[in-house]
Amino acid sequence: QVQLVESGGGLVEAGGSLRLSCAASGGTFKNYGVGWFREAPGEEREWVAVIGWNDGSTYYTDSVKGRFNISRDNAENTVYLQMNGLKAEETGVYYCNNNPRTYGTSWYPFGSWGQGTQVTVSS
């Protein structure tokens, strides 16, 4: 079974940047998209960005469009989330999921989770 490992979180000031990584071990991301989800304190986990595996199509929740960029490295079995212009309300634990599916305009997780990486944005 594929295991996911997120990394790259940390403490950053508002307006700053972080680059998150999601690495797959024991398997690959082949044939499935990968999504980044955020769980803010006291709130439900919600999708942030998704990348399709076959054609590399990308999808972003409205609040991060133009600031976040999801990308992948097939050879390294790694998906990245470049986050620029971070806001305090984007503080939370960021998780990747290896089988997100879309219903309407949102994405939902159907695959495995990693342990998450904490992102804290100070205002």
Side-chain angles (χ1 to χ4, degrees), residues 36 47-51 56-72 80-83 105-107:
W36 282 99
W47 81 283
V48 175
V50 168
I51 186 165
S57 297
T58 57
Y59 308 87
Y60 301 92
T61 195
D62 286 346
S63 64
V64 308
K65 287 179 180 177
R67 297 186 296 117
F68 288 17
N69 183 67
I70 187 171
S71 61
R72 69 181 195 232
Y80 303 98
L81 184 67
Q82 177 68 43
M83 306 187 295
T105 60
S106 292
W107 289 81

Side-chain angles (χ1 to χ4, degrees), residues 22-41:
C22 172
S25 63
T28 72
F29 288 127
K30 186 177 181 181
N31 296 328
Y32 291 97
V34 176
W36 282 99
F37 292 75
R38 174 176 62 229
E39 186 171 320

Side-chain angles (χ1 to χ4, degrees), residues 65-97:
K65 287 179 180 177
R67 297 186 296 117
F68 288 17
N69 183 67
I70 187 171
S71 61
R72 69 181 195 232
D73 184 329
N74 293 357
E76 296 294 328
N77 281 321
T78 301
V79 171
Y80 303 98
L81 184 67
Q82 177 68 43
M83 306 187 295
N84 301 321
L86 281 161
K87 304 176 181 179
E89 57 264 36
E90 291 168 335
T91 291
V93 181
Y94 284 69
Y95 298 87
C96 61
N97 186 278

